[in-house]
Amino acid sequence: NMLDFVFAVDDSVTWHMMNLLKNRSHYSFLKVFGPKQISSIQSYGAGIYYNTLVPCNGRMIKYGVISTDTLIDDLLHWKTLYVAGRLQKPVKILTQNENSKLQAALVSNLKSAVTAAFLMLPESFSEEDLYMQIAGLSYSGDFRMVIGEDRSKVQNIVKPNVVHFQKLYSNILQDCPQVVYKHHLGRLEASIDKSPEGQFTQLMALPRTLQQKITSLVDPPGKNRDVEEILLQVAHDPDCGFVVHQGRQRSM
């Protein structure tokens, strides 16, 4: 397995220019087009440019480059969930500057992951269920509905890393009134508010892109109702969690 790095940079053109001078061999044929074109290509899709199969200290690595602004946007709004999804799982942050907007966005992404998981889980669930649901967000949404390779991936991520998930989410869960988080015992006791009022509050707290995907599922063409009105309708739906799951699948 390749070790996977992601670099968030404030100025992609300058970063690629300097990296081409130092590590030109890392790039594909695109290096002939120069840093501006590489940076332009980086802006497509998930907004990240990858160099792969790079030998480093006796092993292979790959590294992606993403602009800080694009990363913050994905963390807050889940436009693609490509990097935000990775950061909902335990990772090693090697270095981080004092960017308060980025730090706030990292926390917001974790809170959004918990909120989405609460909507898709039953009223009561185990700690491992919660982490499985969160880890499955960037695959197919509801881990109970994932089959084959995706479910295996989710299990392989969560089971060996429960302690790391606990560390990542402990502060958020301790501040959540619906969860009794017994960190010293390594478990949580949850009782999620599944009333329409409770679900509406959670739906309104979801990232913008997921809200839009949910409303596009529910709102018939031509009606153009207000997002809040549609989410209130979804909150009263007995299958609210499944609607969120479908919206999550659409936004992949």
Side-chain angles (χ1 to χ4, degrees):
N1 291 332
M2 283 189 289
L3 192 60
D4 191 350
F5 292 87
V6 173
F7 302 136
V9 302
D10 294 338
D11 183 344
S12 296
V13 175
T14 300
W15 194 94
H16 284 298
M17 180 180 69
M18 296 175 66
N19 197 44
L20 279 165
L21 291 173
K22 294 181 67 175
N23 300 300
R24 191 173 179 83
S25 64
H26 294 181
Y27 289 81
S28 69
F29 71 93
L30 292 173
K31 61 192 169 193
V32 302
F33 297 110
K36 286 186 180 179
Q37 187 63 31
I38 292 171
S39 184
S40 176
I41 292 169
Q42 178 183 309
S43 66
Y44 289 101
I48 188 166
Y49 177 91
Y50 260 98
N51 284 327
T52 64
L53 297 173
V54 176
C56 180
N57 294 334
R59 68 176 300 175
M60 288 291 181
I61 71 167
K62 59 181 177 178
Y63 61 89
V65 183
I66 186 170
S67 78
T68 305
D69 288 342
T70 299
L71 174 57
I72 290 172
D73 185 61
D74 196 34
L75 290 168
L76 292 176
H77 305 304
W78 290 7
K79 186 177 179 181
T80 68
L81 203 60
Y82 185 81
V83 179
R86 291 170 180 233
L87 292 171
Q88 291 163 0
K89 308 173 186 72
V91 298
K92 176 69 173 176
I93 297 179
L94 299 176
T95 182
Q96 185 178 349
N97 63 17
E98 296 300 318
N99 185 325
S100 58
K101 286 180 65 177
L102 176 57
Q103 291 171 354
L106 287 165
V107 175
S108 176
N109 181 45
L110 298 180
K111 289 181 177 178
S112 296
V114 170
T115 300
F118 282 175
L119 282 161
M120 290 187 285
L121 284 163
E123 187 174 353
S124 298
F125 50 84
S126 71
E127 185 173 15
E128 188 173 296
D129 287 342
L130 174 62
Y131 300 145
M132 287 279 287
Q133 190 68 263
I134 289 171
L137 284 171
S138 53
Y139 290 101
S140 301
D142 190 335
F143 80 87
R144 292 168 299 174
M145 301 172 189
V146 175
I147 59 173
E149 185 182 4
D150 277 357
R151 181 177 177 84
S152 229
K153 284 181 180 177
V154 172
Q155 288 177 331
N156 290 340
I157 290 168
V158 174
K159 287 186 178 295
N161 292 296
V162 169
V163 172
H164 300 296
F165 273 96
Q166 289 173 336
K167 184 177 180 181
L168 187 60
Y169 286 97
S170 61
N171 289 339
I172 292 169
L173 294 174
Q174 284 170 0
D175 291 339
C176 179
Q178 297 177 335
V179 173
V180 178
Y181 190 66
K182 299 182 177 179
H183 190 269
H184 62 291
L185 297 177
R187 71 169 187 265
L188 60 79
E189 295 175 2
S191 182
I192 304 303
D193 183 0
K194 291 293 180 178
S195 69
E197 296 77 13
Q199 295 191 136
F200 178 65
T201 299
Q202 292 172 343
L203 287 165
M204 290 298 292
L206 291 174
R208 182 179 61 205
T209 301
L210 182 51
Q211 288 181 339
Q212 291 169 344
K213 298 298 181 181
I214 292 169
T215 57
S216 70
L217 282 169
V218 177
D219 198 31
K223 273 204 167 186
N224 297 320
R225 291 184 296 163
D226 182 76
V227 170
E228 188 171 336
E229 180 187 352
I230 298 167
L231 293 181
L232 184 59
Q233 176 187 329
V234 174
H236 282 80
D237 190 329
D239 293 323
C240 174
F242 183 66
V243 175
V244 174
H245 161 65
Q246 288 181 305
R248 181 60 227 112
Q249 283 189 310
R250 271 200 172 196
S251 56
M252 290 179 67

